[in-house]
Amino acid sequence: MAATVTQAAPSVTDLYVDHISTIPANAGDKVKLFVREHKATSHGGGPRRPVLMLHGRSVAGVAVFDLPYKDYSWAAKLAKAGHDVYVMELQGSGLSTRPKMGDHRNVSPAPSQRGLLVPNPNAAIYTGPVEYGSQLNNSQSDWDEVDAVVDFVLDRAGVPKLDLIGYSAGSQQLGPYAIKHPGKVRSLFLAAPIFPPNGRQSKHGTDFDAPQPMPVSAPEGAFDYPMTVGTKAGVENSWQRDLKCPDQREPAMLNEAWKAMMAADPIGATWGGKVPGSPEGLNRIRNSFWWGWNSTTVQLHKVLGDKVPVCIVYGEHDSIVNTSPDLGLTYFSTPELYRKMPGKKKLMFRISCAGHQLLWENQAKLVHAMSEDWLKNSKVEGATRGSYDRDADGALTLLEE
């Protein structure tokens, strides 16, 4: 598999992996999938084990896993522990190919969205139709892209398996991927994972086939456009809901996180703002149609928690991953993910004083340490199985087996 290489630092290399797209908007085209490689900076003498990290819905992989601020880079931490770490970005995210997303006319037609584009890049609110009237990516295209990068990493490392780390909606891709390809996956570590127990079923309900032909453009207002845009204020508003403890995050972190997000979106960085020619930047977010991650599929073939051990960590104040059961498709529950996984090789930790953005909060270092323990020893803080509450003093309380 071909790759374009750029050296970012002595142990860091930026790669572009060639892939034939299965996204309907550019199906059949050769596209570029961005991958940042952190080569191990220490080595204990045993075989190197590669780790592949995958982002969530709205924030690109490098901003999440390799934040260039103090010691918040999770990728660098694992590289120091002896792992070759790869941070990938799916199409429509970060520095990977972004089909249909360079045209501001493809932003959601909602007035609140279109208004964010005035005066940059628009002099007035564009009220016309979107140029591409359907969702952008889907579950199958995401799984295809993960598989392309997995194969690239395995070939580059010369090993048969790797460890997967996912954040937030990255579980939507990595959970089903591990079930479909257990022979390629050594373990799965999920931080703040999104899990919809009532999520869309596949065509037959008990497999991963698409539930309907792609692309999807209905219902109107949900899937008849390929992207939305987000603001720095929107990130802050969402984050504030989860800030329940003193000093839960550093004062500079919002600015640092937004700066990293804009570095991952050079076009979006030129949009937004109230002064012509002085953009504040907008985060372009792909509009996805997902299926195949629910209470039925998580149990398929008895892979998760057995053939593929799983460790889950999430913040006690995370308002994103745990929502009301009456919300249908948007009912999310991390504890249900733990309960529905069929095997016994599974761990879960609810971390005190942390929210959905825990990777940018003070508890990020704890998550780093937990993942390092998991990858090295298949256990965390001495625990090999069970669901635990971890309080501010580091004490573990068993919640359920």
Side-chain angles (χ1 to χ4, degrees):
M1 183 178 293
T4 305
V5 179
T6 303
Q7 199 72 36
S11 61
V12 179
T13 304
D14 287 344
L15 308 162
Y16 284 92
V17 175
D18 290 339
H19 173 64
I20 302 302
S21 179
T22 55
I23 289 180
N26 63 345
D29 291 353
K30 181 183 286 188
V31 298
K32 302 289 187 180
L33 302 177
F34 178 83
V35 179
R36 173 164 290 179
E37 176 188 56
H38 275 259
K39 295 295 287 186
T41 53
S42 67
H43 191 41
R48 283 184 171 175
R49 284 179 25 208
V51 177
L52 177 61
M53 311 181 88
L54 181 67
H55 58 85
R57 184 185 70 89
S58 61
V59 181
V62 169
V64 172
F65 299 118
D66 197 23
L67 188 72
Y69 178 67
K70 295 186 177 179
D71 55 353
Y72 280 88
S73 173
W74 192 356
K77 172 68 173 177
L78 292 179
K80 289 179 181 178
H83 298 277
D84 291 332
V85 182
Y86 298 83
V87 178
M88 74 168 290
E89 293 174 342
L90 297 162
Q91 273 196 90
S93 299
L95 299 177
S96 290
T97 298
R98 290 189 182 232
K100 307 299 181 183
M101 297 178 74
D103 189 339
H104 64 269
R105 293 172 297 179
N106 280 328
V107 170
S108 164
S112 59
Q113 283 277 293
R114 292 281 176 85
L116 295 173
L117 304 174
V118 179
N120 301 301
N122 293 350
I125 293 179
Y126 172 66
T127 58
V130 295
E131 292 295 295
Y132 181 76
S134 68
Q135 109 296 330
L136 189 67
N137 62 297
N138 58 72
S139 288
Q140 188 60 57
S141 67
D142 285 350
W143 298 329
D144 292 341
E145 290 171 22
V146 170
D147 195 40
V149 176
V150 166
D151 284 347
F152 170 80
V153 170
L154 293 178
D155 181 68
R156 191 171 177 86
V159 296
K161 290 188 176 186
L162 48 56
D163 296 281
L164 295 175
I165 292 179
Y167 167 67
S168 189
S171 64
Q172 166 73 46
Q173 286 76 47
L174 296 188
Y177 181 82
I179 294 170
K180 290 157 64 88
H181 302 280
K184 299 181 183 181
V185 182
R186 185 179 182 277
S187 76
L188 184 59
F189 188 97
L190 299 175
I194 298 293
F195 177 69
N198 305 322
R200 286 188 194 88
Q201 297 284 357
S202 62
K203 183 176 182 180
H204 300 103
T206 57
D207 56 28
F208 295 104
D209 290 341
Q212 61 192 87
M214 300 291 120
V216 175
S217 58
E220 184 178 345
F223 297 111
D224 56 343
Y225 53 88
M227 65 173 167
T228 59
V229 288
T231 64
K232 181 180 179 182
V235 173
E236 173 68 346
N237 290 339
S238 176
W239 204 340
Q240 281 291 336
R241 291 195 296 268
D242 291 356
L243 295 178
K244 306 294 184 183
C245 299
D247 303 320
Q248 189 170 323
R249 72 173 184 191
E250 294 191 34
M253 189 51 71
L254 176 64
N255 288 336
E256 292 296 329
W258 186 254
K259 184 165 59 176
M261 291 170 67
M262 291 295 92
D265 191 352
I267 291 178
T270 67
W271 293 359
K274 298 180 180 180
V275 178
S278 299
E280 295 176 358
L282 296 175
N283 180 35
R284 294 177 297 159
I285 305 168
R286 62 201 192 130
N287 189 15
S288 308
F289 184 85
W290 286 331
W291 68 86
W293 187 227
N294 52 58
S295 292
T296 298
T297 56
V298 75
Q299 302 178 62
L300 287 179
H301 313 307
K302 298 183 179 180
V303 169
L304 298 184
D306 187 7
K307 297 174 184 176
V308 176
V310 181
C311 182
I312 299 167
V313 297
Y314 72 101
E316 68 168 324
H317 302 307
D318 192 330
S319 62
I320 303 295
V321 302
N322 293 303
T323 60
S324 174
D326 62 4
L327 291 179
L329 290 175
T330 55
Y331 161 46
F332 303 138
S333 174
T334 301
E336 276 300 292
L337 171 58
Y338 174 83
R339 295 183 190 113
K340 294 297 183 180
M341 284 191 298
K344 299 297 184 182
K345 299 175 185 177
K346 58 182 182 180
L347 270 169
M348 184 170 72
F349 298 90
R350 185 176 64 196
I351 300 173
S352 66
C353 288
H356 193 65
Q357 310 294 353
L358 77 171
L359 301 183
W360 291 337
E361 297 176 356
N362 288 329
Q363 293 287 36
K365 292 82 170 177
L366 172 61
V367 176
H368 300 173
M370 286 179 153
S371 67
E372 186 178 342
D373 197 5
W374 170 255
L375 293 172
K376 181 179 180 180
N377 303 310
S378 298
K379 59 184 178 181
V380 176
E381 298 189 356
T384 58
R385 56 183 287 187
S387 171
Y388 297 85
D389 179 79
R390 190 187 190 281
D391 68 20
D393 296 321
L396 298 181
T397 300
L398 180 64
L399 302 177
E400 57 185 294
E401 290 287 350

